[in-house]
Amino acid sequence: MQRILIANRGEIARRIQRTCRRMGIDTVAVFSDADADAPFVREADIAVRIGPPAAAQSYLDIDKIIDAARRTGADGIHPGYGFLAENPALATACADAGITFIGPSANVIASLGSKREAKRLVSGAGVPVVPGYNGDDQSPDTLAREAKAIGFPVLLKASAGGGGKGMRIVASEDELPAAIEAAKREAMGAFGDDTMLIEKYVERPRHVELQILGDSHGNLVHLFERECSVQRRHQKIIEETPSPAVSPELRQKMGEAAVAVGKAVGYQNAGTVEFILAPNGEFYFLEVNTRLQVEHPVTECVTGIDLVREQIRVARGERLDFQQTDLTMTGAAIEARLYAEDPDNGFLPTSGRIVDWSAPEGDGVRFDTGVTGPCDVGIHYDPMLAKVVCFAATRAEAVDLLIHTLRRTVVSGITTNRDYLVRVLRHAAFRSGEVDTHFIDTHSDALAAGATGLSVADAAVAAAIADHEQRRGSQAVLPTMEPGFRNNPAVDQRVEYDAGGTATAVSYANQGGGRLRVRVDDGEPVVFSAVSWAAPTLVLENADGTRTTWRVTRAGDRRFVHGLGGGVTLVEAPRFPDAGAEDLAGACTAPMPGAVVTVLVGEGDSVKAGDTLVILEAMKMEHQVKASEDGVVAQLLVEAGQQVDGDQLLVVVTPDGENQDE
Ligand code: ADP
Ligand code: ADP
Ligand code: MG
């Protein structure tokens, strides 16, 4: 293989490029219009524009991918994860085109891609599976009867599912019809297949998965486990190895089970066998992911094996050059997924412009990221920005290093889960390894937004001084005349900021010699000097000679300030309050940009507070827009299929008997 096309984008495309470069293999990127300026495109040896932002017309279009490979002379295709990675049609199309697909065969992908078929195969190999219904009869009556027979709570799962989609916990019989309908709709929309399976819902399990690797010569090994229990919406956010819950004996047992699963299907290439581990130590097979996994770096850290290199080697027909007994685990590794999402708002994806980005790399720190500097984060793809991976001698040290690294990671301009991740990592239960898949719900109060560790007052001072320095730097006339210089030094300059609803005023007087006397609100004045300002970095020194370093990025009236311990967004207050902005009572707006899936009401309908009016879909989830009060639908402004912006007005509900225009 001389030239590999990577049928993916963002961080995983860059990750695969890294190994290709090391192996002396050319890389071909494919990109949509939305990614034209992305680092993975710039860094590829050849890049091919394949279509508009919508994934269906670009990253999911097999013909375009194969065509791009043909035109560029690529002799291998790596699918990454997501997109086409588990679509057997890509593997088949590669075979037809004489291109090596870097992954298992189309047959294996197809049979393991169906959770139902996978369960059948695996139980045949003697590996424990979760009790449940796995049958062909998909009529609502049969599903209901089987669910009752299994006993509530049950978990409905889309057989073709992935990434937590099409999955519903059902606590009792009366919830069942609505849950079946919703899960089927979600599964049909996401996977084009609404076949359901039903499983006994295992209470308080851990998610523990085993990495496997097989070659075409009959060798198949496991590379130990990854603990992935910290999940929101059935999607992992923190993963680590070794698992705090896995003893050497259990590791051996689970490892043997994972290898048995692989052998049962003649698995080749890298794959992941997922299990849930019950509190009593019993484990059950969940599914096999027939691809590289998002969280593969932690395994690489502790085994020293580059999984992408192994994928390429076995795809070329080479033998694994190690056996099970050659493999050992050294140290502990942990990964946190940094997402553009708002943990205080149901983890909804966010979008916008990243105005400042800095990844503090160092010993034991690995950033796998699609972002390298200021860029736009759109609504078309998965909102994961980066994976921050830390590796140390012990779990406690790896966790500390990850906290330290996240606190220094600068991602300004959009809301992310960065501070949330830090709160999870600092939580006593997490630190003692007491996690299960409900960790986030169980500890939601303790994990709710709190201090970032950076005071708004300190951030406001840094912002005011950075602005002052900026004006000074850009002053063309009278360079020796300091801005803000007044004949009467008693008159301070004043700037007011808003930090999430709290107003903070900074007043300062220039004392000459680079020194500023600064006061926040009614506090005591403090003297600072600006040691240096080279946007975005500001170094301040106080009267004691203590220096602190800040990053201050300006975008319109917003100031993004990052210091030790966190980031704060400040909005410089306008001189006059904005009189035009008035809330429209009963207005139901889109909480984020997305597409309207279903409109459940019509104009003139009576609704009750809490009724769902419109269902939106953005990236990986559905969101229900609900009425905030009882009333009548006075205006319906959208229809199914329509794209909407965040904050766009969708429906107006007016109290009964009242007319909109009155
Ligand atoms: P799973 O949840 O199926 O066990 P992972 O945690 O590895 O597997 O990934 C979750 C799913 O999210 C993937 O199957 C993939 O479809 C999707 N996904 C995650 N990140 C990205 C990304 N950056 N690009 C495309 N798809 C992604
Ligand atoms: P996906 O394809 O979305 O990754 P999985 O079947 O791998 O779907 O399940 C994803 C997550 O859902 C698991 O990590 C676990 O947290 C939870 N889960 C799955 N099956 C069960 C079950 N039977 N009981 C309890 N939790 C489950
Ligand atoms: Mg899974």
Side-chain angles (χ1 to χ4, degrees):
M1 239 182 278
Q2 309 287 322
R3 180 169 289 176
I4 290 176
L5 181 146
I6 299 160
N8 215 299
R9 61 180 299 280
E11 67 85 18
I12 190 61
R14 296 185 74 225
R15 156 74 191 93
I16 296 162
Q17 286 173 2
R18 246 182 357 250
T19 291
C20 289
R21 244 176 259 131
R22 200 177 299 146
M23 295 175 77
I25 297 170
D26 293 346
T27 59
V28 180
V30 289
F31 65 99
S32 75
D33 295 338
D35 286 330
D37 299 321
F40 78 91
V41 177
R42 234 176 11 246
E43 294 166 6
D45 294 309
I46 309 174
V48 183
R49 188 188 287 261
I50 52 168
Q57 294 166 57
S58 50
Y59 299 107
L60 290 174
D61 188 327
I62 294 176
D63 291 341
K64 285 181 177 170
I65 304 260
I66 297 287
D67 184 53
R70 280 220 180 92
R71 283 191 284 141
T72 54
D75 47 6
I77 292 186
H78 195 305
Y81 51 74
F83 295 128
L84 296 168
E86 289 176 289
N87 186 334
L90 177 63
T92 304
C94 283
D96 292 347
I99 297 167
T100 305
F101 176 75
I102 302 169
S105 69
N107 285 343
V108 167
I109 297 175
S111 45
L112 295 178
S114 153
K115 287 184 205 276
R116 283 172 62 210
E117 201 175 328
K119 275 183 87 170
R120 271 185 222 136
L121 280 167
V122 161
S123 43
V127 173
V129 300
V130 192
Y133 174 69
N134 201 6
D136 291 323
D137 183 353
Q138 292 282 313
S139 69
D141 285 352
T142 305
L143 293 179
R145 195 177 54 244
E146 293 294 337
K148 266 186 278 179
I150 295 163
F152 292 95
V154 298
L155 189 68
L156 289 174
K157 271 190 200 182
S159 179
K165 267 202 162 181
M167 204 142 65
R168 287 284 188 291
I169 301 169
V170 188
S172 63
E173 196 180 337
D174 49 315
E175 291 174 17
L176 197 60
I180 291 178
E181 203 193 305
K184 277 183 174 277
R185 186 180 57 231
E186 207 173 295
M188 187 50 87
F191 314 109
D193 175 353
D194 65 0
T195 311
M196 288 287 136
L197 53 88
I198 310 173
E199 285 180 0
K200 174 81 198 149
Y201 183 66
V202 179
E203 311 264 1
R204 307 230 154 261
R206 289 170 181 260
H207 175 116
V208 176
E209 60 185 31
L210 279 280
Q211 176 72 53
I212 59 169
L213 196 53
D215 66 18
S216 54
H217 304 275
N219 301 305
L220 195 132
V221 297
H222 72 84
L223 289 91
F224 314 110
E225 80 279 5
R226 291 184 289 255
E227 159 88 57
C228 312
S229 297
V230 181
Q231 306 180 341
R232 48 116 184 77
R233 299 196 315 257
H234 302 296
Q235 289 169 10
K236 307 151 185 168
I237 55 172
I238 293 179
E239 301 103 335
E240 60 180 307
T241 186
S243 162
V246 174
S247 63
E249 297 72 39
L250 182 57
R251 179 167 302 123
Q252 168 124 17
K253 264 171 61 186
M254 294 185 85
E256 281 163 9
V259 168
V261 169
K263 292 222 155 125
V265 294
Y267 198 91
Q268 293 178 24
N269 217 285
T272 294
V273 185
E274 296 189 330
F275 296 99
I276 47 177
L277 175 62
N280 65 4
E282 298 287 323
F283 61 89
Y284 306 97
F285 169 82
L286 275 184
E287 64 166 341
V288 180
N289 292 325
T290 54
R291 52 168 162 87
L292 192 65
Q293 195 91 343
V294 175
E295 56 274 21
H296 76 279
V298 294
T299 299
E300 297 187 323
C301 291
V302 300
T303 59
I305 286 169
D306 178 338
L307 287 167
V308 175
R309 173 174 174 265
E310 298 305 329
Q311 287 192 291
I312 294 172
R313 290 184 60 247
V314 300
R316 287 198 299 219
E318 291 169 37
R319 272 173 197 281
L320 293 177
D321 51 15
F322 42 78
Q323 293 173 344
Q324 191 66 57
T325 47
D326 299 326
L327 295 168
T328 51
M329 295 177 104
T330 308
I334 179 163
E335 168 182 291
R337 301 190 191 188
L338 185 63
Y339 278 103
E341 67 178 20
D342 187 356
D344 302 336
N345 186 20
F347 299 97
L348 284 187
T350 56
S351 59
R353 185 158 181 82
I354 294 179
V355 297
D356 189 21
W357 168 265
S358 171
E361 263 154 300
D363 284 352
V365 179
R366 166 174 166 181
F367 269 85
D368 278 17
T369 154
V371 178
T372 55
C375 63
D376 292 315
V377 177
I379 59 162
H380 300 288
Y381 312 114
D382 190 274
M384 191 173 77
L385 301 173
K387 303 185 303 209
V388 189
V389 187
C390 289
F391 176 42
T394 65
R395 179 178 191 264
E397 285 172 41
V399 172
D400 283 340
L401 180 58
L402 184 54
I403 294 170
H404 186 268
T405 305
L406 283 168
R407 290 176 65 216
R408 281 160 187 74
T409 301
V410 180
V411 44
S412 297
I414 58 169
T415 303
T416 72
N417 66 342
R418 193 194 68 130
D419 295 340
Y420 185 87
L421 291 168
V422 171
R423 291 196 291 271
V424 171
L425 294 164
R426 282 181 167 157
H427 196 282
F430 181 84
R431 294 204 69 107
S432 61
E434 284 157 30
V435 290
D436 58 46
T437 59
H438 304 283
F439 181 88
I440 282 184
D441 289 334
T442 311
H443 301 290
S444 59
D445 288 344
L447 297 173
T452 63
L454 181 63
S455 89
V456 170
D458 290 350
V461 167
I465 297 180
D467 277 357
H468 171 80
E469 288 296 307
Q470 184 66 29
R471 282 193 298 272
R472 214 160 69 91
S474 61
Q475 210 176 32
V477 212
L478 292 182
T480 53
M481 172 82 99
E482 307 242 342
F485 178 86
R486 297 284 204 286
N487 284 335
N488 175 358
V491 178
D492 287 5
Q493 301 207 56
R494 190 183 145 85
V495 53
E496 220 175 276
Y497 297 105
D498 177 273
T502 316
T504 302
V506 180
S507 40
Y508 59 94
N510 189 345
Q511 299 194 310
R515 295 189 317 147
L516 296 168
R517 198 190 61 214
V518 184
R519 214 156 78 120
V520 179
D521 295 325
D522 299 326
E524 283 299 308
V526 181
V527 172
F528 282 104
S529 37
V531 177
S532 64
W533 164 245
T537 306
L538 174 73
V539 180
L540 295 181
E541 184 171 316
N542 72 6
D544 304 337
T546 305
R547 289 189 178 186
T548 47
T549 302
W550 302 84
R551 283 173 83 103
V552 182
T553 312
R554 305 139 48 92
D557 57 358
R558 292 185 301 167
R559 301 290 177 271
F560 302 99
V561 183
H562 196 277
L564 190 61
V568 168
T569 302
L570 304 169
V571 181
E572 195 176 359
R575 265 161 242 270
F576 307 102
D578 183 357
E582 241 178 274
D583 276 355
L584 181 60
C588 304
T589 54
M592 61 189 161
V596 177
V597 180
T598 316
V599 176
L600 296 163
V601 292
E603 281 183 13
D605 288 0
S606 295
V607 294
K608 293 246 170 300
D611 282 359
T612 303
L613 307 174
V614 170
I615 298 176
L616 290 180
E617 139 118 29
M619 285 176 276
K620 291 162 109 184
M621 60 178 301
E622 279 193 357
H623 187 87
Q624 308 190 343
V625 178
K626 297 185 171 166
S628 56
E629 52 210 272
D630 295 356
V632 172
V633 175
Q635 287 183 46
L636 175 63
L637 300 157
V638 290
E639 54 188 44
Q642 189 178 333
Q643 288 286 329
V644 295
D645 291 333
D647 286 336
Q648 183 170 334
L649 189 57
L650 308 175
V651 181
V652 178
V653 175
T654 51
D656 256 334
E658 230 178 75
N659 225 319
Q660 236 270 298
D661 303 314
E662 272 176 7

